[in-house]
Amino acid sequence: MDWYSAVFELIDMRSFSNLWFWIALAVVWSTTSHWIVGVPYDMVQRAERHGGEAEVDLEDMVRINCNRLLYIAGTAGLWLIGLGSAFLTSLAILGFLYRIEFAQAVFLLALPMSLVGFLSINTARVIRDRGLAGEALRKRMLRHRVHTQIVGMIAIFVTALWGMYQNLMIGALGG
């Protein structure tokens, strides 16, 4: 067995039958629902339980990350939307028109993540514009986390359905 065969056996391009894809899907959504607007959710919980310095740390972290996100959206937002749209369109065409399973898998990861990106920018804008702090900030962060988890649950459900369909069709066709 040569090196090329070994690598492509480990990284199977048939994504939906590959355990690594499902592990990556779980890790992506777990990480995404933990980091809210770039702030780990345990900081929100710690601020709620202990207040004081933990609350100040949370507000500082949120302010820094909101300013960072809004700066990026303000300076490069249109370019990012254009390039992201072109990337998602390319993946959709390659995946669903030309039936490249790897492109389907990446599309089913990237599309919902782009929705979470838009949600994050909206949350950052609301936090900055309303000057949220304390309990109002924690509630907004919780709301954003719940919305992210809803997007994640729908994305995982759709991906699982599509993956099962793909695996059944490949099995029915004989490989």
Side-chain angles (χ1 to χ4, degrees):
M1 178 187 277
D2 63 347
W3 182 82
Y4 185 78
S5 299
V7 168
F8 276 96
E9 186 175 315
L10 180 65
I11 305 171
D12 185 8
M13 292 308 218
R14 285 195 43 242
S15 302
F16 300 113
S17 63
N18 191 334
L19 179 62
W20 291 109
F21 171 74
W22 297 105
I23 291 171
L25 182 72
V27 168
V28 163
W29 283 108
S30 173
T31 304
T32 301
S33 69
H34 179 70
W35 289 86
I36 304 302
V37 192
V39 177
Y41 191 70
D42 61 282
M43 283 187 78
V44 177
Q45 293 172 323
R46 194 174 326 119
E48 188 170 3
R49 278 193 300 257
H50 303 294
E53 188 176 334
E55 186 85 37
V56 172
D57 290 347
L58 173 66
E59 290 172 1
D60 289 343
M61 222 22 200
V62 170
R63 180 184 48 79
I64 290 167
N65 283 307
C66 286
N67 287 339
R68 188 182 118 262
L69 273 176
L70 294 173
Y71 175 77
I72 292 168
T75 57
L78 289 177
W79 281 101
L80 291 173
I81 289 172
L83 292 173
S85 298
F87 177 69
L88 288 171
T89 302
S90 299
L91 285 174
I93 290 170
L94 287 171
F96 299 104
L97 187 62
Y98 291 108
R99 302 200 191 287
I100 298 173
E101 190 172 316
F102 184 73
Q104 293 172 1
V106 174
F107 178 80
L108 290 171
L109 275 170
L111 180 65
M113 290 305 293
S114 65
L115 295 175
V116 170
F118 287 124
L119 283 173
S120 295
I121 291 169
N122 183 53
T123 297
R125 185 167 289 125
V126 167
I127 289 170
R128 187 191 64 187
D129 291 349
R130 294 184 186 168
L132 298 181
E135 186 179 349
L137 175 63
R138 291 192 310 270
K139 282 184 178 181
R140 187 64 192 193
M141 296 291 279
L142 175 63
R143 183 178 304 133
H144 179 75
R145 184 174 196 228
V146 168
H147 290 161
T148 299
Q149 289 173 333
I150 290 170
V151 170
M153 286 188 299
I154 293 169
I156 290 170
F157 180 73
V158 169
T159 302
L161 283 180
W162 185 256
M164 285 187 285
Y165 171 76
Q166 288 295 104
N167 288 335
L168 288 173
M169 291 308 295
I170 288 172
L173 297 175

